[in-house]
Amino acid sequence: MTESPISSASNAILDVQSNIKAAAQRAKRNIDDINLIAVSKTRSLEQITPLLEQGHRHYGENRVQEAMEKWPALKARYQDVTLHCIGQLQSNKVADAIAIFDVIHSLDRMSLLKALAREMEKAGKYIPCFLQVNIGGEKQKGGCAVDDIGSLLETAVNANIPIIGLMCIPPADIEAAPFFALMSKLAKQYDLSHLSMGMSSDYEVAITIGATYVRVGTALFGPRA
């Protein structure tokens, strides 16, 4: 018998949480310092709601429009949810992003930084952000260059944008650990407390190297149709 999306997600999150705990123990880290973001992009309410009912509160969406369609009603019902913007953010979507999201993981360029500063001041809502770093130097991916971290941080501080950490998506089909190690080194260099790194295929490795937020979708919800 095929497992329903509801029972599948409910069971899978227990496995992922167990893996996170084991990785934290191997690294001698406090499990409370690690946050699991359930990547709910393209997932139905039928898939998401069981996790909400189980008490899980961190979710990640890629697109502002999809988040605006799905999450206002859910956040009204589950008021302690933290919704993370984990996809590339267009400057013309910033006002809506600030309205619906609680954390932004994809600040990666000066034009976006200026748009965020303007809209945060207008809304009176200064939400925490991660600088997304193109750690593999891939032309097709978002993220700032390693050499641009310092200037973006300085501008963000002057604009009252709270930068809490660094985020990355390492190159596919290559061992992720060296990229995670570089991210950890950069976070320490710039005195940043958080690292958003690690997805379904490598979140355990990321935790052993210092991730404080892991973004897991497929391991929770299964492959996308």
Side-chain angles (χ1 to χ4, degrees), residues 80-127:
D80 53 346
V81 157
T82 299
L83 190 61
H84 300 256
C85 176
I86 59 173
Q88 190 170 29
L89 181 57
Q90 297 175 344
S91 296
N92 63 356
K93 299 288 187 182
V94 163
D96 286 340
I98 290 170
I100 189 65
F101 288 109
D102 303 293
V103 185
I104 292 173
H105 290 242
S106 49
L107 174 49
D108 64 353
R109 60 196 186 278
M110 198 64 74
S111 60
L112 177 58
L113 190 157
K114 291 177 180 177
L116 284 167
R118 183 172 58 251
E119 294 299 335
M120 284 186 187
E121 182 178 13
K122 189 183 298 184
K125 181 182 179 184
Y126 293 86
I127 64 177

Side-chain angles (χ1 to χ4, degrees), residues 147-160:
D147 290 343
D148 291 338
I149 294 173
S151 60
L152 283 170
L153 276 175
E154 182 179 1
T155 305
V157 168
N158 291 334
N160 296 319

Side-chain angles (χ1 to χ4, degrees), residues 10-95:
S10 296
N11 291 333
I13 197 167
L14 298 178
D15 291 337
V16 171
Q17 288 169 338
S18 177
N19 292 340
I20 289 172
K21 183 177 180 180
Q25 288 175 338
R26 289 196 299 273
K28 296 181 171 57
R29 294 185 61 196
N30 187 338
I31 187 68
D32 293 335
D33 293 335
I34 301 160
N35 300 279
L36 168 61
I37 299 173
V39 178
S40 51
K41 65 176 183 177
T42 75
R43 306 299 181 171
S44 67
L45 297 184
E46 182 186 27
Q47 291 174 294
I48 298 167
T49 302
L51 302 189
L52 286 161
E53 288 295 318
Q54 283 180 257
H56 191 70
R57 289 297 180 262
H58 288 274
Y59 294 85
E61 293 284 344
N62 272 40
R63 296 173 62 246
V64 175
Q65 183 177 343
E66 182 180 353
M68 294 291 287
E69 290 169 356
K70 282 164 49 175
W71 281 97
L74 289 173
K75 291 184 80 174
R77 182 176 176 186
Y78 305 95
Q79 296 185 10
D80 53 346
V81 157
T82 299
L83 190 61
H84 300 256
C85 176
I86 59 173
Q88 190 170 29
L89 181 57
Q90 297 175 344
S91 296
N92 63 356
K93 299 288 187 182
V94 163

Side-chain angles (χ1 to χ4, degrees), residues 171-192:
D173 304 320
I174 302 176
E175 172 58 44
F179 298 100
F180 293 154
L182 178 54
M183 288 291 290
S184 181
K185 179 181 178 181
L186 289 167
K188 291 173 182 172
Q189 177 182 335
Y190 290 103
D191 196 25
L192 294 168

